[in-house]
Amino acid sequence: MQAYIDQLIRDGYFAGMPKEVVYAVAMVLAAFIVLSVFVAPLAGVTSWLERRVWARMQSRVGPNRVGPQGILQWLADGIKNLLKEDLIPSAADAKLFSLAPYVVFVGFLCAFVVIPFGSQLIVADLNIGILYILAVTSLVVVGILMAGWSSNNKWSLLGGMRSAAQIVSYEIPAGLSILTIVFLAGTMSMQGIIKAQGWAPWDWFLFNNPFTFAAFFLYFTAALAEGNRTPFDIPEAESELVAGYVTEYSGMRFLFFFFAEWGNLYVIGAVATTLFLGGWQVPPVTSDPILLGVLQFVVFFLKAYLWVFIAMWVRATLPRVRVDQLMALCWKYMVPLSFLCLLGTICWMLVFPKGNQIFSVAMFVLGLLIVAYFFKRVVFQIRHARPELYFKPHI
Amino acid sequence: MSVASYVKNIKDTVTSVFEGMTITFSHLVRRPMTIQYPDKIPVPIQETLPRRYRGILEVDMDICTGCLACERDCPITCITIGIEMDKETKQRNFTHFDIDICKCMYCGLCAEACPTGSIRHSQEFEGASYNPAGLVRHFVTQPAPLYKPKKGGETDPKLAEKVDTGLKYLDEFATPDGGAAAEEG
Amino acid sequence: MNETAPVQSQGFYAEEMTISVGPQHPSTHGVLRFVVKTDGEVINEAIPDVGYLHRSIEKIGEKVTWHGYVPYTDRADYLAAMFANQVFCMAAEKLAGTEVTRRGEFCRVIACELNRIASHLISVGTFGQDIGAMTPFVHALRERETINNLMEEICGARLTYNYIRIGGVGYDILPETCTRITEFLDHFEPIVDEFNRLLSNNKIFIERLAGVAVISKEDAFSYNLVGPNLRGCGIKWDIRRDIPYSVYPELEFEVPVGTGQVGTLGDSYDRYWVRIRELQESCKILRQCLKMFPKGPAIAKVPRKFKPPVGECYARVEAPRGDMGFYVVSDGSEYPYRVRIRTGSFTAMSIIDKLSKGIMVADLIALIGSLDVDAPEIDR
């Protein structure tokens, strides 16, 4: 992207304009395009899909009335929320209260800058890409804390405090798990990490050694906690804190929090894909740059969306942990284990400086076996519930 | 905390989460239970309700004897019946027979008390109205004579059919030992 | 809202926060209110505030006929209406010396056990939801919906049954309904196992409940806990077994008690687990009843104008929320002279204050859920 603008400036398209202004305009334009074309529909469709998946797991149908299979539900919800009254409680700190949703939103949106959708499709390939993601997503906690404090509501305050403790703690296992990959790849650039992997599953960092395999799940768990997802959704725990930090919000501001939450899900998936699952790497099937770009985008999108689906699925399955157990889980289990993974990976790199292909393939087979066992259990669950006796209601 | 329990905790968490996730995943391919009332259903839901269903009360005025048993038995007095004697013809007429659906708690005591089965629960349950007054059902619009059961059965075929329907309702659903009689017979 | 008192905790001065949990809180199961004083997340005091759902059902009893009061008893605990029906009718029968027909007794037991399953499903389902698991809640309600359909076939109503009448039951259970009940049981028993695998065995769920809000045997007695809450403390006390009524002496069933299998005896998980076991026991009872179902009339001859002789009596049954009792006084007229209802939830509320000291806000929600308090039953 930056290279493209540099090229345009060299070609004299913006003669007479300061370079900084051109960059600023291009950034605003890029942000607008990303937001309206990609992020908004993505978060919206994710919200719809989450409700549908969740409903089906609960023997319900879910929203299916707006558009085919209800896929336009998110538009209807968005319009409804836009038309609602913008309510600010009289005792709230109005400025912070209004600002908080946007801080959360910006925090998550900035992450899209470095997400590599394809070998060319990236806004800016920063050389500290992954560090940048860790930094900007931490902005979310500021917004949540602001929301919790400024609402002047005790539930909101409790939610905000919980969130601060949670997100700050879970930065550590997430960071350590990411560090294992940074060690392996030798770079912090998102593209660099992807290029260090291959298209085949056994070339992914996930199957590189047992420690990265464990680190992946540690990263995913920590990322769920950072994204306030079940089982770590204690900041908004609706059965305890009513709605936590969003208790006093309504209308569009409320929507912005959830916009950020669902968008953030995708960021989690995208980062996991970049670090562990080979990113946009595709088999060498074509040399046409446009076709290749599309293929890379599709592969990356699907890989990332798989983890969005898994996050939904986890949410449908698990109960919520208590706030002290959350901390215990982080400090007693995840931090030591991610340290272990880090050390293990370092040792592995010392023993096999060039990696161990055979072992990677074995790890991949193990992964396949786990998936196979999973489906065996699914079949068992369906049989055991005796679907032929599925009780017929009157209809 | 010993190392064994530390490892066991991790193992338990992973296996139980795995197990739970297989169950929720298996529900993706199972049939949902939702009935998409009111539009996406093959037949109106009223037709699928069991016959004992206690819906909104209805009265067949043609076979109502005016015995006031239902009015007496109603715990919340949601039934009000007015009867007056016509001085010329010496005939007793209904002046009103109102049931306040707002008050009714669908207990079924009135239907059990009725000797002819003229007051009974329908399968209807959609009673929404913008006006509470609209929920008072008036079954008598103009003064109408009471029904007098004839000895030796009803002769008028139209009425006979209605009497039969009423008695059948009474037998099968409303009388307490109706089912038992059916069982023995 | 802003009464604050400085409290000293470990050398730091912190302000005590007063939070009003309820009456419109998502997990107070109806309109309950707790005035909670907390130090951050840790609760110092939680004072229950009842009375938001008071409908003066006891007073209404003095104004309606004996027969006409039965539909009102439905409303005493609308999640388990059948038991209030039964216990009021038992009291009236005791006064009048009415003999219930044998088929009537079996109909009562079948309806009551179905209702117990429905009520416990709500209890364990909402409990899961309080802990944060949404799916088990909907799965439990799905099964309960089937029971509602069965109830609709049996008596024509889904929630406020008015099924059990003085002298027997209102409507006989037809053979085809019996078949459907058997089908339901065949379907339901594996579902309980599935529910256990999904929720009860989940490590997070166990961790949330093990050792939380432990009730000792002494406390259980002194606070007069009943039903699953009492059995969760390891005390084998079930009215069905110890003060037998109806046809329960002829039926074989176990009385599940808490064992402290994952934490301490008498913790929240034990109370939850007793309910799950009772679901299975109710299935067992239902199967036996359907096998032993005798023929005959479902209701004894009772005059329409029911006038029991002067006197008073107390009847009790084992309702899903424990010992439910009706104390009825008759002055020989068409109307009861006085009706008093004793329910399990009301006494369970009183122990929350004691148990809530030092637990966290999330634990309070788990505690309320594990006691299975039910707002209509508390306030009547």
Side-chain angles (χ1 to χ4, degrees), chain C residues 47-351:
Chain C
I47 304 160
D49 183 5
V50 300
Y52 287 93
L53 201 55
H54 193 268
R55 292 142 299 157
S56 63
I57 287 177
E58 292 174 3
K59 187 70 187 169
I60 290 173
E62 298 164 21
K63 295 290 167 197
V64 292
T65 58
W66 289 85
H67 283 300
Y69 187 53
V70 179
Y72 282 102
T73 59
D74 286 337
R75 275 81 178 166
D77 176 4
Y78 45 63
L79 296 181
M82 209 57 92
F83 294 90
N85 275 190
Q86 186 182 15
V87 65
F88 175 71
C89 292
M90 273 166 63
E93 285 150 10
K94 224 191 240 179
L95 274 177
T98 315
E99 191 76 18
V100 184
T101 58
R102 196 165 156 72
R103 192 176 170 90
E105 289 284 20
F106 271 91
C107 286
R108 281 183 179 188
V109 171
I110 290 174
C112 281
E113 293 304 324
L114 273 177
N115 199 186
R116 190 189 306 279
I117 293 177
S119 174
H120 277 344
L121 277 176
I122 284 259
S123 164
V124 295
T126 52
F127 191 35
Q129 198 186 24
D130 289 346
I131 303 301
M134 296 300 207
T135 305
F137 168 69
V138 187
H139 286 184
L141 282 214
R142 180 190 68 205
E143 301 311 318
R144 176 174 178 269
E145 204 59 22
T146 317
I147 297 180
N148 282 353
N149 285 342
L150 285 172
M151 284 299 191
E152 212 171 58
E153 267 178 46
I154 293 173
C155 62
R158 295 172 76 81
L159 205 60
T160 48
Y161 307 117
N162 186 24
Y163 177 59
I164 294 174
R165 308 290 165 77
I166 299 168
V169 292
Y171 318 99
D172 194 11
I173 297 178
L174 301 175
E176 57 262 33
T177 312
C178 292
T179 332
R180 277 179 58 94
I181 294 174
T182 322
E183 273 174 23
F184 167 71
L185 292 177
D186 289 346
H187 159 76
F188 180 65
E189 278 164 352
I191 291 287
V192 177
D193 293 342
E194 187 188 287
F195 193 86
N196 285 340
R197 289 200 303 277
L198 177 58
L199 184 66
S200 316
N201 299 341
N202 190 296
K203 183 71 177 165
I204 298 175
F205 186 71
I206 291 173
E207 283 295 313
R208 276 296 301 274
L209 302 179
V212 168
V214 179
I215 302 178
S216 66
K217 278 187 187 182
E218 292 73 36
D219 277 349
F221 282 131
S222 58
Y223 280 88
N224 196 359
L225 291 189
V226 286
N229 297 338
L230 181 69
R231 292 194 282 278
C233 307
I235 299 158
K236 221 172 189 153
W237 171 260
D238 189 319
I239 308 276
R240 289 177 292 177
R241 187 189 69 136
D242 296 308
I243 312 176
Y245 59 95
S246 200
V247 289
Y248 281 111
E250 300 170 33
L251 303 170
E252 267 179 40
F253 61 96
E254 264 177 57
V255 179
V257 291
T259 52
Q261 50 185 330
V262 294
T264 326
L265 178 66
D267 61 5
S268 299
Y269 191 85
D270 276 347
R271 295 193 281 279
Y272 165 81
W273 189 245
V274 164
R275 293 201 175 87
I276 292 279
R277 289 287 317 282
E278 278 186 20
L279 287 177
Q280 293 161 336
E281 293 304 319
S282 288
C283 289
K284 242 158 81 182
I285 295 176
L286 276 170
R287 282 192 194 279
Q288 289 174 44
C289 281
L290 291 173
K291 209 175 277 170
M292 293 160 72
F293 212 9
K295 288 197 187 327
I299 188 166
K301 286 270 176 287
V302 177
R304 235 22 274 145
K305 257 203 172 99
F306 186 74
K307 281 188 191 171
V310 181
E312 55 184 63
C313 85
Y314 181 68
R316 61 208 290 198
V317 295
E318 181 69 30
R321 283 165 194 79
D323 183 356
M324 181 182 237
F326 267 58
Y327 176 70
V328 185
V329 183
S330 162
D331 58 355
S333 74
E334 245 186 284
Y335 307 100
Y337 181 74
R338 174 83 173 93
V339 182
R340 169 85 179 92
I341 310 172
R342 182 246 184 269
T343 55
S345 293
F346 185 71
T347 50
M349 276 295 273
S350 60
I351 202 170

Side-chain angles (χ1 to χ4, degrees), chain A residues 69-381:
Chain A
Q69 291 295 309
I71 197 163
L72 296 178
Q73 183 70 40
W74 61 281
L75 266 182
D77 287 346
I79 292 166
K80 181 192 80 178
N81 276 302
L82 269 175
L83 296 177
K84 276 191 173 180
E85 187 189 352
D86 181 21
L87 209 79
I88 298 177
S90 57
D93 188 334
K95 277 181 194 141
L96 283 182
F97 187 82
S98 333
L99 189 62
Y102 305 110
V103 174
V104 173
F105 191 69
V106 165
F108 115 85
L109 195 65
C110 282
F112 274 88
V113 169
V114 293
I115 288 180
F117 292 102
S119 56
Q120 305 301 321
L121 208 56
I122 182 168
V123 177
D125 183 19
L126 305 179
N127 56 358
I128 48 153
I130 193 70
L131 195 64
Y132 168 81
I133 285 200
L134 278 181
V136 292
T137 48
S138 300
L139 200 58
V140 171
V141 68
V142 179
I144 290 178
L145 208 52
M146 269 162 79
W149 170 256
S150 64
S151 298
N152 197 16
N153 178 319
K154 284 163 186 168
W155 298 122
S156 303
L157 184 65
L158 280 177
M161 289 302 164
R162 282 178 174 196
S163 175
Q166 171 182 345
I167 295 181
V168 169
S169 307
Y170 275 82
E171 290 279 305
I172 297 164
L176 286 172
S177 319
I178 289 172
L179 212 54
T180 56
I181 298 306
V182 172
F183 275 24
L184 271 175
T187 171
M188 281 207 250
S189 144
M190 298 292 263
Q191 296 286 35
I193 291 172
I194 291 177
K195 279 171 190 156
Q197 305 174 58
W199 62 268
W202 47 85
D203 289 334
W204 296 350
F205 283 150
L206 175 63
F207 300 117
N208 188 286
N209 62 53
F211 301 104
T212 47
F213 191 73
F216 171 72
F217 290 100
L218 287 171
Y219 166 73
F220 191 65
T221 316
L224 284 183
E226 279 190 78
N228 295 334
R229 299 285 303 179
T230 310
F232 309 108
D233 63 340
I234 57 162
E236 50 175 282
E238 73 286 328
S239 64
E240 295 152 25
L241 299 186
V242 189
Y245 59 92
V246 288
T247 306
E248 296 287 353
Y249 281 92
S250 61
M252 206 53 207
R253 289 183 210 285
F254 177 78
L255 206 63
F256 263 106
F257 280 111
F258 282 89
F259 205 176
E261 183 181 325
W262 281 308
N264 207 7
L265 263 186
Y266 188 77
V267 174
I268 292 170
V271 173
T273 308
T274 309
L275 295 179
F276 295 93
L277 298 173
W280 42 255
Q281 292 274 17
V282 287
V285 286
T286 171
S287 56
D288 180 11
I290 294 179
L291 196 60
L292 197 66
V294 170
L295 206 60
Q296 283 172 345
F297 179 79
V298 168
V299 164
F300 185 87
F301 185 84
L302 289 181
K303 273 184 195 169
Y305 218 82
L306 174 70
W307 295 99
V308 176
F309 171 74
I310 288 177
M312 294 167 182
W313 176 15
V314 166
R315 185 176 179 201
T317 310
L318 293 184
R320 181 185 305 123
V321 295
R322 202 170 56 210
V323 60
D324 58 327
Q325 289 166 351
L326 183 91
M327 289 298 140
L329 179 68
C330 179
W331 294 105
K332 281 190 194 160
Y333 291 88
M334 295 191 53
V335 172
L337 286 179
S338 43
F339 256 120
L340 200 69
C341 288
L342 186 61
L343 285 177
T345 312
I346 293 168
C347 296
W348 192 271
M349 284 165 71
L350 286 175
V351 178
F352 304 106
K354 293 237 181 293
N356 187 339
Q357 184 87 40
I358 300 162
F359 194 83
S360 298
V361 174
M363 285 293 294
F364 174 60
V365 172
L366 183 72
L368 283 185
L369 283 179
I370 291 174
V371 173
Y373 178 67
F374 170 79
F375 279 106
K376 195 176 153 239
R377 284 302 291 179
V378 170
V379 171
F380 165 80
Q381 304 294 3

